[in-house]
Amino acid sequence: MSGLKNRLEKSKKIVFLTGAGISQESGIATFRGKDGLWQRYDPMKFASIQAFIDNPKLVWNWYNDRRREMLVANPNLGHIAIANLQNYRHVSVVTQNIDGLHQRAGSRDVVELHGNIFDTKCTKCDFKSTMKSEFFDLQICKSCGSYLRPDVVWFGEGLKQEIWNEAVIHSMNCDMMIVVGTSLTVSPANSLLLYAKRNHATLVELNPANSPYSDEMDFCIRKTATEGLPTLFSIFGTI
Ligand code: APR
């Protein structure tokens, strides 16, 4: 770990690539692994455009349940450590999560690859809106009368080009990428660490389990987010 602390001390721009695991200790279910969402729900029936076309009410209500879960969740010590690191380094967060917890912890530069569960958009026109706390039933677009849907990336859909470009630019310009709480099984998110590697960035994986990219990492910390992140940044004092 001393090698990592030396690199951390020398680092200037740190990019975090995060997934569902960083929110697990906030009480939000991950997708894979023993209690994962996809063990209980078929993603093709709840997180795809065809699912929404086939049964918009089922999909909308499923996202309502997840919105409620995310609204009552709080950022954990992992989210907070990343936000506090902004006092010592240039920090960007590229997250696959749609829960908004990085922003609620105080992270200012957050790229949401897969969108945000509180954003909605029309299935036909370019109407968009952001929900506050209330949860309504399936909504009809005020301007064209079509269904509103969660403004998140579903299976089979591409990422917004401007979002992807921003994530790639961060990954190509960092000297350290810390990958926290992701199985790295979904593309193109999992390719971002290869952009960082090409830029000779130090790659760190913080995850209690291995991932398909563990061998690419310079350092692997087999701890949870709330165990590993505050300790890692203890060189900057208790952050
Ligand atoms: N701290 C750190 N990591 C954890 C913790 C924790 N407390 N708990 C679990 N993990 C790790 C698991 O070991 C696993 O590697 O988090 C990872 C969660 O993996 P997934 O459930 O696959 O979540 P993620 O990688 O974010 O999925 C990517 O898949 O279904 C899509 O859109 C969805 O954004 C999601 C994408």
Side-chain angles (χ1 to χ4, degrees):
M1 273 292 262
S2 61
L4 174 53
K5 292 219 171 191
N6 293 339
R7 300 228 192 150
L8 199 49
E9 275 164 350
K10 293 197 188 88
S11 66
K12 289 187 178 52
K13 176 174 168 62
I14 300 175
V15 169
F16 289 86
L17 174 61
T18 68
I22 195 168
S23 297
Q24 184 268 335
E25 289 161 285
S26 295
I28 296 175
T30 59
F31 294 95
R32 298 166 185 85
K34 66 180 172 41
D35 305 324
L37 271 179
W38 300 149
Q39 309 300 326
R40 291 172 274 150
Y41 299 95
D42 176 354
M44 293 306 133
K45 290 209 170 30
F46 289 92
S48 72
I49 184 66
Q50 193 56 51
F52 190 76
I53 292 165
D54 295 346
N55 194 333
K57 203 162 176 55
L58 175 77
V59 172
W60 179 267
N61 289 340
W62 187 68
Y63 275 87
N64 252 353
D65 293 344
R66 293 184 65 205
R67 261 190 290 274
R68 276 192 194 88
E69 179 192 40
M70 291 175 182
L71 205 72
V72 299
N74 290 308
N76 61 49
L77 291 177
H79 298 106
I80 292 164
I82 291 174
N84 290 345
L85 186 65
Q86 293 172 126
N87 301 319
Y88 304 93
R89 290 292 181 278
H90 184 291
V91 175
S92 300
V93 178
V94 177
T95 187
Q96 300 170 87
N97 299 341
I98 59 175
D99 57 32
L101 288 182
H102 281 298
Q103 296 93 318
R104 284 175 52 199
S107 286
R108 295 184 291 272
D109 183 8
V110 180
V111 179
E112 292 177 305
L113 293 174
H114 298 158
N116 185 298
I117 199 168
F118 296 99
D119 292 339
T120 55
K121 66 179 179 182
C122 177
T123 44
K124 286 273 176 320
C125 73
D126 55 5
F127 173 82
K128 289 179 186 291
S129 75
T130 295
M131 299 169 68
K132 299 284 171 284
S133 56
E134 69 281 3
F135 302 95
F136 352 108
D137 288 334
L138 191 53
Q139 290 294 293
I140 298 296
C141 176
K142 292 183 181 59
S143 32
C144 78
S146 309
Y147 282 132
L148 294 187
R149 54 161 282 187
D151 192 359
V152 297
V153 179
W154 278 333
F155 283 99
E157 294 185 320
L159 275 61
K160 290 175 184 154
Q161 193 59 50
E162 66 277 15
I163 295 284
W164 178 245
N165 294 347
E166 199 179 345
V168 168
I169 290 165
H170 281 319
S171 305
M172 291 175 75
N173 291 286
C174 66
D175 44 34
M176 182 176 282
M177 176 174 274
I178 303 178
V179 182
V180 186
T182 174
S183 60
L184 291 170
T185 45
V186 165
S187 68
N190 56 8
S191 66
L192 289 169
L193 66 98
L194 304 178
Y195 284 102
K197 190 175 177 89
R198 211 180 297 163
N199 187 51
H200 310 298
T202 298
L203 297 182
V204 184
E205 180 173 64
L206 196 151
N207 188 330
N210 282 339
S211 75
Y213 290 83
S214 293
D215 292 345
E216 300 286 336
M217 305 293 172
D218 298 297
F219 300 91
C220 290
I221 304 169
R222 292 289 168 243
K223 290 185 176 175
T224 70
T226 63
E227 291 161 352
L229 286 169
T231 314
L232 182 60
F233 304 139
S234 58
I235 58 169
F236 298 108
T238 43
I239 62 169

